[in-house]
């Protein structure tokens, strides 16, 4: 049976009485999508993500083919046959897109998920060859709109919109937990797939329902929706080139370039005016030249990236080895210091018998030197453990005032021994908080000790107050001060100020770094202020109260 | 055991592929071989004798034509008329042995119809009877 009012096409769908640009511009786009997806698949046949890209592109190509046949062919048997696949292909594309996003986000797709996907497809697939899908064909208008099931049509369209929401949910959930580099990929992939689904299902929906209720004369507007696949493939290409997704490297860029060349080249078949032919020729040539340039640039960039990645991996390995060595050395050094400390202590307390006053004096110096050495090693080891997250804080309700009072009591003597005026002011307030008293004491002790160490003369003043549900601690000194340049490195790993090194050559640069890590682990912040070298410094700590 | 695990891993793709091949085969048989579907078309209608739907010959509607809605079973229509129904007399009528055939004329109460004899509107059943009468007439003329 043929549609007697229409002209017969050649080669299934090349009809002379349809707008060529709208109908046939889909073909190069679809071929481009197929080639690109096949390249992706070929470069990683075992990767689920690559297989899914090929599956989506294949079903999309089937959709393009069936749509073109439905719109241009005049054989009722054949059109009815392809019409029966519309709902099936739509639904499969929707579900494949969801599956694709699961694979992209490296989420586990369990057997339950797969059965769930199949359950969504079951109604359209099982009813596809029956009268519940397509019952007949109108050869006067050459379509089956009046004979297709409204319920199944609504189901497959709804599945598309449902897939959009499902994907959006998955992407938002993953975005919140991802590393910054993957966040960019999520945005790109999200935009690509959502735009694809929106244009594909949106246009299909508008075309079908607006035609059905008489707003549009026919549903050929749905052909615009097919451009969504080109958008999707462009986003996939960006992901491949920028992030090396799909493991396809240079070949993807080549596919992109030659796909665009094929797209522009195909326009030669539809151009009838000579000026357009010349203009398209210029565009075609320019695309080939610029495409070659792009391929070379990408090749260079990929090589550089690979070299950088290799260097980065080597560097990481070296750092790990160095860290391991430092850890080993510090432990060995600490062990040596400890053994030596006990020997000096034994000498001093008479374990090894009576000693002379001179030996006693040297033993005392040796003991003090060992204590300093052990404290330095502890500082480095603590900073390392704090940074790696190896420290487990014993968080419990504490009164921060007690921690500060203990430090004041302990540090008053060494400060006064240096002839420094040691002052403290603790205002009445709420100092209850949740924290580990041992590590908080370590942090505050570091700050106060720091001020005493770098102050030759003058005073050190400790201040504690509260306000805005926060505890405010500060230690102000009249010491060496801090330059603006040093301020930047002050709380960093191994960061030492130029002025501080003049006074304390043994400075490790890990003290303030440890303070920062401890305070931040308690939800607070720490910083320093100084008017400049020789003008003293003030170190601040702000911690949240529990009230 | 390994095969079972492999099937569990690929349950989605295997099932989808199997179902897709199945529906392609069944649909091909239904539409291309059995022609198991209905065909709708515009059948001839005489406005002097019947209440007809009207359509425009061109976009400006400078000329109108008259038609009735016809639906036939594709296999029957193909047997009677071949691929092209344009000049097929059998396409205008329903034969007694055809169970899935209807020719619907315009209903003036519901639509803009063209009829020279107002009030001569027939119900669907009457229309089908008329179609049957005409069908029997053609059958006897052609000794079918």
């Amino acid at each position: 049976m043929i549609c007697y009012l229409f002209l017969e096409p050649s080669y299934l769908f090349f009809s002379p009485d349809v707008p060529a640009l709208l109908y046939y511009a889909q073909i190069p786009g679809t071929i481009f999508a197929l080639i690109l997806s096949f390249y992706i698949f070929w470069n990683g046949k075992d990767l689920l993500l690559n297989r899914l890209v090929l599956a989506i592109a294949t079903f999309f190509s089937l959709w393009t083919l069936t749509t073109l046949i439905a719109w241009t062919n005049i054989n009722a048997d054949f059109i009815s046959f392809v019409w029966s696949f519309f709902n099936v292909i739509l639904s499969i594309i929707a579900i494949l897109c969801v599956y694709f996003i699961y694979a992209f986000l490296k989420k586990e797709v369990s057997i339950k998920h797969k059965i769930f996907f199949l359950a969504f497809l079951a109604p359209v697939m099982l009813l596809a060859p029956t009268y519940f899908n397509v019952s007949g064909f109108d050869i006067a208008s050459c379509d089956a709109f009046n004979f297709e099931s409204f319920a199944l049509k609504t189901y497959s369209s709804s599945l598309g919109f449902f897939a959009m929401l499902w994907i959006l949910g998955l992407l938002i959930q993953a975005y919140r937990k991802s590393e910054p580099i993957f966040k960019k990929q999520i945005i790109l992939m999200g935009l690509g797939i959502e735009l694809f689904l929106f244009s594909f299902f949106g246009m299909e929906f508008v075309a079908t329902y607006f035609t059905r209720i008489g707003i549009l004369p026919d549903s050929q507007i749905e052909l615009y929706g097919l451009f969504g696949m080109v958008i999707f493939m462009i986003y996939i290409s960006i992901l491949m080139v920028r992030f090396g997704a799909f493991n396809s490297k240079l070949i993807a860029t080549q596919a992109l370039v030659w796909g665009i060349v094929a797209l522009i080249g195909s326009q030669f078949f539809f151009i009838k005016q000579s000026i357009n032919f010349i203009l398209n020729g210029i565009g075609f040539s320019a695309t080939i030249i610029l495409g070659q340039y792009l391929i070379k640039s990408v090749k260079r960039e990929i090589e550089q990236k690979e070299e950088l990645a290799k260097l980065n991996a080597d560097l990481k390995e070296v750092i790990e080895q160095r860290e391991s060595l430092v850890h080993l050395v510090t432990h060995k050094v600490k062990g040596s210091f400890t053994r030596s400390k006990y020997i000096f202590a034994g000498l001093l307390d008479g374990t090894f018998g009576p000693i002379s006053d001179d030996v006693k004096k040297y033993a005392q110096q040796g003991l003090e030197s060992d204590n300093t050495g052990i404290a330095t090693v502890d500082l480095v080891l603590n900073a390392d453990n704090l940074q790696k997250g190896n420290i487990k804080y014993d968080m419990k309700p504490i009164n921060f005032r007690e921690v500060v009072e203990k430090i004041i009591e302990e540090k008053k003597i060494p400060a006064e021994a240096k002839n420094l005026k040691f002052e403290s002011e603790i205002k009445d307030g709420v100092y209850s908080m949740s924290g580990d008293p041992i590590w908080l004491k370590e942090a505050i002790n570091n700050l106060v000790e720091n001020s005493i160490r770098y102050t030759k003369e003058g005073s050190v003043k400790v201040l504690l107050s509260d306000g805005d549900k926060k505890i405010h601690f500060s230690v102000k000194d009249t010491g060496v001060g801090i330059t603006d340049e040093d301020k930047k490195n002050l709380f960093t790993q191994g960061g030492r100020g130029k002025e501080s090194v003049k006074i304390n050559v043994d400075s490790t640069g890990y003290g303030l770094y440890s303070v920062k890590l401890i305070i931040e682990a308690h939800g607070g912040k720490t910083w320093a202020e100084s008017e400049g070298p020789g003008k003293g410094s003030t170190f601040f700590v702000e911690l949240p109260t529990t009230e | 055991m390994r095969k079972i695990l492999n099937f569990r891993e690929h349950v989605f793709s295997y099932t989808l592929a199997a179902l897709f091949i199945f529906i392609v085969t069944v649909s091909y048989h239904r539409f291309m071989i059995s022609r198991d579907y209905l065909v709708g078309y515009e059948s001839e209608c005489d406005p002097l004798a019947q209440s007809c739907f009207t359509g425009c010959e061109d976009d400006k509607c400078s000329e109108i034509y008259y038609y009735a809605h016809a639906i036939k079973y594709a296999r029957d229509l193909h047997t009677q008329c071949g691929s092209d129904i344009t000049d097929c007399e059998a396409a205008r009528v329903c034969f007694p042995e055809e169970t899935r055939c209807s020719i619907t004329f315009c209903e003036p109460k519901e639509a803009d119809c063209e009829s020279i004899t107002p009030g001569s509107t027939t119900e669907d059943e009457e229309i089908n009877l008329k179609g049957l009468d005409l069908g029997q007439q053609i059958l006897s003329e052609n000794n079918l």
Side-chain angles (χ1 to χ4, degrees):
Chain A
M1 234 84 58
I2 57 164
C3 303
Y4 47 87
L5 296 172
F6 298 88
L7 292 172
E8 191 172 358
S10 49
Y11 304 111
L12 287 180
F13 50 73
F14 287 105
S15 173
D17 64 348
V18 294
L21 193 65
L22 174 62
Y23 278 59
Y24 303 118
Q26 322 298 335
I27 298 171
T30 307
I31 292 171
F32 159 64
L34 262 182
I35 292 172
L36 185 61
S37 60
F38 191 73
Y39 270 127
I40 293 169
F41 170 72
W42 195 254
N43 276 269
K45 293 187 201 83
D46 297 333
L47 297 174
L48 176 64
L49 196 65
N50 296 19
R51 292 204 299 263
L52 284 167
V53 170
L54 181 66
I56 292 172
T58 306
F59 276 99
F60 174 78
S61 307
L62 268 177
W63 174 264
T64 310
L65 185 70
T66 50
T67 308
L68 280 176
I69 289 170
W71 276 97
T72 54
N73 206 283
I74 61 165
N75 185 316
D77 298 342
F78 191 41
I79 303 174
S80 304
F81 169 62
V82 298
W83 205 288
S84 66
F85 293 101
F86 281 170
N87 291 330
V88 173
I89 299 172
L90 271 178
S91 307
I92 290 177
I93 289 177
I95 292 299
L96 281 177
C97 285
V98 176
Y99 197 172
F100 174 78
I101 288 298
Y102 268 94
F104 173 74
L105 298 172
K106 295 175 184 71
K107 273 179 169 278
E108 195 199 346
V109 183
S110 65
I111 188 130
K112 275 184 190 169
H113 278 96
K114 289 173 188 173
I115 291 168
F116 201 46
F117 291 156
L118 287 168
F120 272 115
L121 293 175
V124 272
M125 294 201 82
L126 295 174
L127 294 175
T130 69
Y131 267 75
F132 290 105
N133 184 19
V134 178
S135 58
F137 190 80
D138 191 331
I139 51 175
S141 56
C142 211
D143 62 49
F145 284 118
N146 294 326
F147 293 94
E148 63 179 349
S149 157
F150 182 73
L152 271 191
K153 191 86 199 161
T154 309
Y155 180 81
S156 54
S157 295
S158 307
L159 208 54
F161 290 105
F162 180 60
M164 280 175 72
L165 292 175
W166 192 345
I167 288 169
L168 190 68
L170 286 172
L171 290 172
I172 290 172
Q173 196 185 27
Y175 184 86
R176 286 182 178 163
K177 295 175 186 169
S178 297
E179 296 290 317
I181 185 78
F182 195 58
K183 279 185 176 174
K184 285 181 188 170
Q185 291 191 47
I186 288 174
I187 292 172
L188 276 171
M189 181 54 81
L191 275 173
I193 202 151
E194 290 286 0
L195 278 173
F196 164 60
L197 286 172
F198 182 73
S199 67
F200 192 56
F201 284 92
M203 281 295 177
E204 208 275 332
F205 176 82
V206 168
T208 307
Y209 293 97
F210 281 23
T211 308
R212 201 178 275 268
I213 60 174
I215 292 176
L216 289 173
D218 59 48
S219 67
Q220 71 175 7
I221 193 177
E222 74 179 3
L223 290 166
Y224 288 104
L226 301 182
F227 288 109
M229 190 61 180
V230 179
I231 299 169
F232 181 45
M233 283 297 159
I234 287 171
Y235 274 95
I236 282 188
S237 307
I238 295 169
L239 276 164
M240 284 189 295
V241 176
R242 279 191 60 187
F243 300 102
F246 305 97
N247 200 24
S248 53
K249 298 179 183 169
L250 184 65
I251 213 154
T253 316
Q254 288 170 330
L256 173 71
V257 168
W258 296 119
I260 295 169
V261 168
L263 186 73
I264 298 171
S266 66
Q267 301 300 315
F268 283 119
F269 295 103
F270 313 117
I271 292 169
K272 285 173 183 150
Q273 289 176 323
S274 54
I275 183 72
N276 288 347
F277 200 86
I278 294 166
L279 287 173
N280 201 57
I282 294 168
F284 186 68
S285 311
T287 310
I288 292 175
I289 295 164
L290 290 173
Q292 282 292 354
Y293 178 73
L294 177 70
I295 288 170
K296 277 187 182 174
S297 307
V298 171
K299 191 178 175 185
R300 205 164 41 238
E301 198 183 318
I302 288 171
E303 282 168 358
Q304 284 171 350
K305 266 189 180 175
E306 282 176 348
E307 202 172 323
L308 268 175
K310 193 178 170 297
L311 284 172
N312 197 27
D314 290 347
L315 191 66
K316 255 187 183 171
E317 202 178 334
V318 169
I319 289 171
E320 275 170 17
Q321 283 172 352
R322 199 202 65 175
E323 275 181 358
S324 167
L325 185 69
V326 168
H327 214 72
L328 182 78
V329 169
T330 43
H331 274 290
K332 290 273 180 199
V333 169
K334 193 180 171 184
S336 301
F337 275 134
T338 312
R339 272 195 299 278
S340 158
K341 178 183 166 175
Y342 284 117
I343 292 168
F344 286 127
L347 282 171
L348 287 168
D349 66 13
T351 307
F352 306 118
I355 52 169
S356 67
D357 285 349
D358 277 351
V359 175
K360 219 176 230 177
K361 190 179 145 195
Y362 292 128
Q364 185 63 41
Q365 283 175 357
L367 185 66
E368 279 169 15
S369 172
D370 281 349
N371 279 338
T372 312
I374 289 167
T376 306
V377 172
D378 278 345
L379 201 63
V380 175
L381 283 174
N382 280 346
D384 192 45
N385 286 328
L386 285 165
Q387 187 203 13
K388 285 179 182 164
N390 293 341
I391 301 294
K392 196 158 172 65
Y393 293 98
D394 181 19
M395 302 298 242
K396 54 188 173 188
I398 58 162
N399 187 345
F400 188 70
R401 184 187 180 123
E402 288 171 9
V403 175
V404 175
E405 279 174 345
K406 203 170 258 180
I407 298 288
I408 291 169
E409 194 186 317
E410 284 175 14
K411 295 298 163 193
K412 197 172 169 66
I413 299 163
E416 284 173 354
K418 271 186 83 176
N419 291 322
L420 297 175
K421 190 177 172 190
F422 192 82
E423 297 172 289
S424 61
E425 184 184 349
I426 297 177
K427 292 185 178 169
D428 286 338
V430 179
Y431 299 111
S432 53
M433 64 171 290
S434 174
D436 185 327
I438 295 171
W439 285 103
L440 280 173
K441 191 183 169 216
E442 173 77 17
I444 300 303
N445 184 59
N446 260 331
L447 290 177
V448 178
E449 207 171 77
N450 224 34
S451 284
I452 296 169
R453 186 177 296 139
Y454 295 110
T455 305
K456 277 185 180 172
E457 54 188 21
S459 65
V460 171
K461 184 176 181 181
V462 173
L463 180 68
L464 185 67
S465 63
D466 75 328
D468 299 333
K469 292 185 177 174
K470 279 174 186 163
I471 298 166
H472 303 279
F473 169 86
S474 67
V475 51
K476 187 178 182 181
D477 62 56
T478 54
V480 292
I482 314 161
T483 63
D484 286 340
E485 198 185 334
D486 285 345
K487 269 184 201 167
K488 293 174 205 162
N489 305 321
L490 216 53
F491 290 92
T492 59
Q493 194 174 7
R496 287 177 294 182
K498 280 179 186 170
E499 296 302 316
S500 66
V501 175
K502 286 177 193 170
I503 291 179
N504 178 20
V505 287
D506 296 329
S507 166
T508 60
Y510 282 92
L512 291 178
Y513 180 59
S514 300
V515 172
K516 180 177 177 276
L517 293 174
I518 295 166
I519 298 301
E520 283 179 355
H522 285 81
K525 60 176 184 177
T526 180
W527 70 100
E529 286 175 10
S530 171
E531 288 178 9
K535 293 181 179 170
S537 329
T538 310
F539 288 84
F540 297 91
V541 168
E542 209 172 79
L543 287 161
T545 60
T546 42
E547 287 188 18
Chain B
M1 188 68 186
R2 200 176 161 187
K3 275 185 180 173
I4 293 167
L5 281 175
N6 203 28
F7 179 76
R8 280 170 71 92
E9 194 184 326
H10 296 107
V11 64
F12 180 76
S13 47
Y14 288 171
T15 315
L16 190 68
L19 271 173
F20 198 74
I21 292 166
F22 171 75
I23 62 168
V24 167
T25 313
V26 176
S27 284
Y28 185 84
H29 188 269
R30 182 190 158 199
F31 291 103
M32 304 291 284
I33 297 171
S34 301
R35 293 197 174 88
D36 178 18
Y37 65 96
L38 300 170
V39 175
Y41 54 95
E42 292 171 358
S43 177
E44 276 189 9
C45 180
D46 180 4
L48 294 171
Q50 295 149 323
S51 182
C52 306
F53 292 99
T54 56
C56 296
E57 293 281 6
D58 51 35
D59 290 343
K60 290 175 187 170
C61 214
S62 54
E63 205 177 327
I64 58 166
Y65 68 95
Y66 306 99
Y67 66 94
H69 282 303
I71 291 175
K72 270 200 181 214
Y73 190 50
R75 196 191 303 161
D76 293 344
L77 190 61
H78 190 264
T79 311
Q80 291 156 6
C81 303
S83 291
D84 194 352
I85 64 158
T86 318
D87 296 315
C88 181
E89 289 281 328
R92 297 172 201 165
V93 290
C94 291
F95 295 104
E97 69 273 18
E98 288 182 85
T99 50
R100 280 182 274 185
C101 175
S102 70
I103 295 168
T104 312
F105 292 91
C106 190
E107 172 59 69
K109 287 173 195 165
E110 293 170 8
D112 291 333
C113 303
E114 195 71 30
S115 173
I116 305 301
T117 50
S120 65
T121 314
T122 52
E123 296 296 328
D124 269 357
E125 282 179 30
E126 291 176 53
I127 291 163
N128 282 336
L129 282 171
K130 274 190 179 180
L132 280 171
D133 292 344
L134 203 61
Q136 276 163 345
Q137 194 185 325
I138 292 167
L139 277 171
S140 57
E141 278 172 11
N142 293 304
N143 290 323
L144 290 169

